[in-house]
């Protein structure tokens, strides 16, 4: 997934995909938590990583859209 994300030509889209991927990486790896470097077994089914990434990416796109709307309301583009 990291390689595929790196091949996205648009830098903004690529960065958003990286952020979404970073948000799920601990949950789909064998690392116990963000703060503990301890391995533990997890039940991760085939496709879970992609599904979680897509959900996180949907949430990130929605948040970015809301932020864009707020910025536009506060600082409307000058004609």
């Amino acid at each position: 997934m990291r390689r595929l994300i790196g091949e996205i030509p648009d830098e903004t889209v690529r960065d958003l995909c990286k952020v979404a991927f970073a948000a799920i990486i601990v949950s789909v790896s064998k690392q116990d938590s963000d703060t503990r470097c301890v391995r533990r077994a997890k039940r991760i089914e085939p496709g879970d990583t992609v599904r979680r990434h897509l959900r996180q990416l949907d949430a990130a796109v929605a948040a970015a859209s809301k932020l864009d709307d707020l910025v536009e309301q506060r600082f409307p583009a000058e004609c």
Side-chain angles (χ1 to χ4, degrees):
M1 285 185 65
R2 192 176 78 173
R3 180 185 58 76
L4 291 173
I5 290 169
E7 293 176 4
I8 296 171
D10 185 293
E11 183 179 6
T12 302
V13 173
R14 187 174 56 244
D15 287 347
L16 194 60
C17 288
K18 286 179 182 179
V19 168
F21 187 64
I24 66 150
I25 198 68
V26 170
S27 68
V28 296
S29 71
K30 293 183 179 180
Q31 185 172 328
D32 186 44
S33 70
D34 285 331
T35 58
R36 293 185 63 210
C37 291
V38 174
R39 288 182 72 134
R40 75 174 174 98
K42 294 181 184 177
R43 185 172 170 88
I44 302 167
E45 299 295 327
D48 280 353
T49 301
V50 173
R51 281 188 290 277
R52 289 180 192 202
H53 184 251
L54 290 174
R55 278 195 306 267
Q56 189 66 38
L57 190 54
D58 282 343
V61 167
S65 179
K66 285 181 184 178
L67 178 60
D68 187 55
D69 290 346
L70 289 173
V71 169
E72 183 61 33
Q73 288 173 7
R74 282 193 73 167
F75 307 101
E78 295 181 27
C79 297

